[in-house]
Amino acid sequence: MTPKLHYTVPGLSDADAQRIVELLQDRLHATNDLHLTLKHVHWNVVGPHFISVHEMIDPQVDAVRGFADDLAERIATFGGSPQGTPGSIVSARTWDEYSIGRGTTQEHLGALDLVYQGVITSYRDGIKELGELDPITEDMFIGQTEQLELFHWFIRAHLEDKGGHLSTEGAGSEKAAAAAAEQG
Ligand SMILES: [Fe+2]
């Protein structure tokens, strides 16, 4: 639940501002969850391709952490109070905790394919709604989505064969995607 706004940016109705803050807060939870999850992967990957995946992840962590900061500061700009504590993420999120512990690079990359699918789909839903509400926040979502889609491709390039088929195609869970990626 997003706290009531006592002021907001000029030219917006209170109801629209409230909804925009809710959309920003949902992405703030998603990006806070994602940069922590990416660090968890950075620490837990094993196998012969360890160093390339370990090192590929850190720039993604830094970028996603920057997205969270921009989203939080836009909530404050709207007169809202960004919720950034671990408990607030866990109680508000609509997705499950990342489900892979120590695992091979392919297992984690397979699971991350599913993670990025979920995050990017939600960003695109937000973009659709913001097209009517606020093109400035929409622009922020679009810029972040472009970067997330690029990172998703970096993950998928490890899961793709020469014919362009993804090993994770059709996987409905992180565990199923991890198993499919491990098999190749
Ligand atoms: Fe590190």
Side-chain angles (χ1 to χ4, degrees), residues 120-166:
I120 290 166
T121 301
S122 300
Y123 262 91
R124 282 188 171 271
D125 290 344
I127 288 167
K128 277 182 210 142
E129 199 174 337
L130 286 166
E132 299 287 316
L133 287 171
D134 178 23
I136 302 164
T137 305
E138 182 192 20
D139 187 57
M140 176 180 280
F141 276 38
I142 289 170
Q144 295 186 357
T145 302
E146 182 192 359
Q147 285 293 299
L148 291 166
E149 288 175 348
L150 179 74
F151 297 154
H152 192 195
W153 170 55
F154 291 175
I155 303 294
R156 283 180 150 180
H158 294 76
L159 305 169
E160 188 176 355
D161 67 18
K162 283 197 294 186
H165 302 102
L166 287 171

Side-chain angles (χ1 to χ4, degrees), residues 39 42-43 54 58:
K39 265 297 187 192
H42 170 84
W43 296 321
H54 176 77
D58 261 349

